[in-house]
Amino acid sequence: MPHSSDAPGPRLLRLWQRLSPLPGGAWLFSRALGVMVPYSGTVGALVEALEPGHARLRIRDRRRVRNHLHSVHAIAIANVGELASGLAVLTGLPPTVRGIVTGLDVRYLKKARGGLRAEAHVHVPTVTEPLEHTVTAEVFDAEGDAVATVTARWRLSPAQSDPSPSSG
């Protein structure tokens, strides 16, 4: 059986709980997350809230995330939404369950200008055999208008423990 400290969700929560109360702790956690998940780190998301089954992140409007129309690039929006869904799922999973994204659907509702906030809430079902589970993250602009809905399909399954050699 996997040990809870080996699962990514509990490790992320421990790091968040240790760093977030400190001055600059959310920023430090967010940078560490960007190192752990390099591609997702490219949008420079700042984690504002993290607890089992819930994540809230922000990205600043800066040249690196803009498109040629001077709005936030569609893939940057998808990235921050998927990251919010992933953090919500991973922190909500028991250590006996593993998950991976198998599909992503992004619905763009409004041109995204300025800083954005992505938020995901998830209730993880009981997993006794492999199953598909969808998680939605909403992405909002500074005025609170929804600019996108990111729906991630997750494949959840019981974690397999690595067989250890038996001692004789």
Side-chain angles (χ1 to χ4, degrees):
M1 189 66 56
H3 189 271
S4 65
S5 65
D6 297 337
R11 283 196 325 256
L12 286 168
L13 281 173
R14 278 195 311 278
L15 185 60
W16 173 257
Q17 290 162 351
R18 192 172 23 186
L19 294 177
S20 65
L22 303 174
W27 179 87
L28 189 57
F29 174 86
S30 300
R31 297 296 71 77
L33 180 63
V35 170
M36 288 185 248
V37 189
Y39 180 76
S40 292
T42 62
V43 294
L46 176 67
V47 178
E48 292 186 329
L50 185 61
E51 58 191 35
H54 174 242
R56 184 178 65 240
L57 294 76
R58 288 199 186 272
I59 61 170
R60 292 180 303 119
D61 181 10
R62 56 199 168 90
R63 187 176 190 283
R64 171 172 264 178
V65 298
R66 289 190 197 129
N67 59 26
H68 65 289
L69 301 172
H70 306 289
S71 58
V72 179
H73 195 284
I75 297 304
I77 296 168
N79 188 326
V80 73
E82 191 275 338
L83 184 56
S85 99
L87 288 170
V89 168
L90 290 175
T91 59
L93 288 178
T96 57
V97 175
R98 63 182 178 177
I100 188 167
V101 173
T102 60
L104 202 60
D105 177 54
V106 185
R107 305 194 98 203
Y108 299 99
L109 309 169
K110 176 183 172 187
K111 190 178 284 190
R113 294 195 188 276
L116 302 177
R117 170 178 51 91
E119 191 153 4
H121 296 271
V122 63
H123 171 73
V124 177
T126 301
V127 178
T128 57
E129 61 185 15
L131 60 86
E132 295 288 321
H133 188 64
T134 59
V135 178
T136 299
E138 299 289 337
V139 183
F140 302 94
D141 63 17
E143 287 76 41
D145 294 334
V147 298
T149 302
V150 179
T151 304
R153 279 188 313 283
W154 283 80
R155 176 79 167 168
L156 303 178
S157 61
Q160 301 298 317
S161 60
D162 292 329
S164 59
S166 58
S167 52

